[in-house]
Amino acid sequence: MSYEHIEIEPQTFDIDAAEVERRRERVRRAWRYEAVDHIPVTIDFSPACGETVYGTHNDIAAWFASAVRRIRWSLRLLDDDYIPLAEPPWLGFHPVASMLGARLWWSDDPNEMPGIKDPLVKDVRQLYELRDPDPRSDGVGPELLRRLALAKECFPVEVALGGVDMTSPLGDVLDIMDQTLFFMSLKRDPDAILHACGVVTRAQTALQDAALAVVGERERLAGFTNWPTWRPEFAPVLVADDIAGLFSPAVFERFDQPFTNQLLERYGGGLLHICGPNPSAGLYMHDAPRIHGHNCSFHYSRGDFARLREELGLKAQERLGRRGHLEIMFERGVPLAAMVEGFREMAAAFAPDVLALPYCQIVPDGSVGDDDIRAFCAVMREIAQEYAAAMRWDA
């Protein structure tokens, strides 16, 4: 492969493959509610890791440098929960919107995520004019696939490859529409919205299939989504469904869930991501396809902890014969001390019934030193051990 003017070459890292497999097995056991000595904790050095967000999206050399730095810093500073991975840039859940013709917008802040520059659909009749895009030629699809191919070539097999963003089809429909028109159309033109969700579901499927073809084997993927965590083979999917926090359960069931279910069914089950709030929490867990739990924001779902414990714990056990679990994220900008207290609150809120794994995003901007990170890891491990000891594990 030619990288033109870009100085990119295969990388080597000091990675113990057997140790990485032991860490993966701990995650598998935790997801199955089999006893582990501590709750796995994910710590991530931000999306850009020493580069700007704008740079990693628009300069392939900056993206590659950030990916290498992210792995090296993680191997040097993190404890034995770290599972190495490299991923294409996170586009704020806009790849399919881009493939359909929407243009990305960037603010003057180089570390702000992109948005949609202008609504693609301003008349509901335009939804019937949407055409199935080709991820190999449309929007940002070719660049995402190019970077996945490059990552496969340049990173050793011990480094898992992150997938591309997987958004709920209804969320992508909102992305391409004038927002007022979108919400009005849910009531006035529901068939048009459902038609557009079908188009987007096919587009999502085409993008995920193209990414899998580039990677070559599922085992190399960290998961079917762009999220910096490795996921067990029996639950590889994370569908970002933040739009579900805006709707009643009735709207969720009619317009959202049928299409996210198609993606989960096709790629093997997994989780929904909804930052919060969670008005449809009673509908998250089911077996066709199998949803294993919920990924959410500590800040935006904190008020729902009691209900999430009930729905993913006792009610799921009674209805499905199994419990679900949570992945709860602390976004960049949250102080380390606040993450520690948040993890303590999670353990108190969910033990012994529900497993809640923390995902902690740290921006390595110089404000947090190596010693701070090591001390943070140590205290998070103490809480993780106490939490595991308090859990009710399956036999």
Side-chain angles (χ1 to χ4, degrees), residues 339-362:
M339 294 186 197
V340 168
E341 291 310 307
F343 191 22
R344 292 189 195 280
E345 184 177 333
M346 287 163 52
F350 292 106
D353 298 320
V354 173
L355 179 72
L357 295 84
Y359 161 67
C360 308
Q361 195 174 75
I362 299 175

Side-chain angles (χ1 to χ4, degrees), residues 190-201:
D191 289 343
I193 296 292
L194 292 170
H195 172 82
C197 286
V199 175
V200 170
T201 302

Side-chain angles (χ1 to χ4, degrees), residues 179-202:
Q179 289 195 5
T180 301
L181 176 65
F182 171 82
F183 287 104
M184 290 174 58
S185 299
L186 287 170
K187 187 172 183 64
R188 294 182 180 179
D189 297 284
D191 289 343
I193 296 292
L194 292 170
H195 172 82
C197 286
V199 175
V200 170
T201 302
R202 294 193 298 273

Side-chain angles (χ1 to χ4, degrees), residues 260-310:
T260 58
N261 280 353
Q262 289 182 44
L263 297 173
L264 285 155
E265 179 69 33
R266 183 178 183 89
Y267 298 107
L271 306 179
L272 291 181
H273 162 81
I274 302 164
C275 275
N278 298 275
S280 300
L283 300 172
Y284 291 168
M285 291 282 293
H286 50 69
D287 276 342
R290 175 164 288 206
I291 289 186
H292 293 259
H294 179 46
N295 177 297
C296 62
S297 160
F298 180 88
H299 178 74
Y300 294 108
S301 289
R302 190 179 188 183
D304 296 330
F305 279 3
R307 187 181 182 202
L308 289 170
R309 174 177 178 168
E310 180 182 21

Side-chain angles (χ1 to χ4, degrees), residues 135-183:
R136 296 170 183 82
S137 59
D138 294 329
V140 299
E143 182 64 13
L144 292 176
L145 298 177
R146 179 190 183 199
R147 296 192 191 191
L148 267 180
L150 193 153
K152 178 185 178 183
E153 181 175 339
C154 290
F155 291 109
V157 294
E158 294 82 11
V159 175
L161 302 182
V164 295
D165 299 332
M166 187 184 290
T167 308
S168 68
L170 187 63
D172 272 329
V173 173
L174 172 60
D175 235 5
I176 64 174
M177 289 186 70
D178 173 86
Q179 289 195 5
T180 301
L181 176 65
F182 171 82
F183 287 104

Side-chain angles (χ1 to χ4, degrees), residues 11 16 25 27 40 48 58 62 115 176 181 190 197 207 215 254 258 269 280-281 305 313 319 325 367 393:
Q11 301 292 305
D16 182 338
E25 181 59 21
V27 175
N58 294 284
I176 64 174
L181 176 65
C197 286
L207 180 58
V215 172
R254 182 179 184 187
S280 300
F305 279 3
R319 185 164 54 87
H325 75 272
S367 62
W393 300 108

